[in-house]
Amino acid sequence: MFKVKGIDPSGKAMTFACGTDEQAMEKTWELQRRGFRDVVVVDPRGRELGAAAFERSLGIDWD
């Protein structure tokens, strides 16, 4: 299970569980659109990555 953590616009820390890496990536995008800051993803092994680093690790090709 992946976890997405961030701080909402009011300053409250929140964590969201996601079943797949794709769901975690979509959640990071959603949270950033909603004004969350310090968004990070924790993978099933416990490795914590910032949203941009996590996106790069998935190898998403935008071209």
Side-chain angles (χ1 to χ4, degrees):
M1 175 175 38
F2 290 84
K3 295 178 186 172
V4 180
K5 301 190 298 186
I7 300 173
D8 75 5
S10 70
K12 181 179 176 186
M14 301 185 79
T15 302
F16 303 87
C18 298
T20 68
D21 56 355
E22 290 178 2
Q23 290 172 338
M25 189 73 260
E26 289 174 5
K27 182 58 80 173
T28 64
W29 293 334
E30 175 193 340
L31 295 180
Q32 290 171 335
R33 280 192 309 270
R34 292 174 47 197
F36 279 65
R37 62 184 192 280
D38 301 330
V39 177
V40 296
V41 178
V42 182
D43 71 13
R45 290 185 236 150
R47 186 175 63 158
E48 189 170 297
L49 294 169
F54 181 70
E55 185 173 342
R56 285 191 302 274
S57 77
L58 295 180
I60 296 173
D61 186 9
W62 296 106
D63 295 331

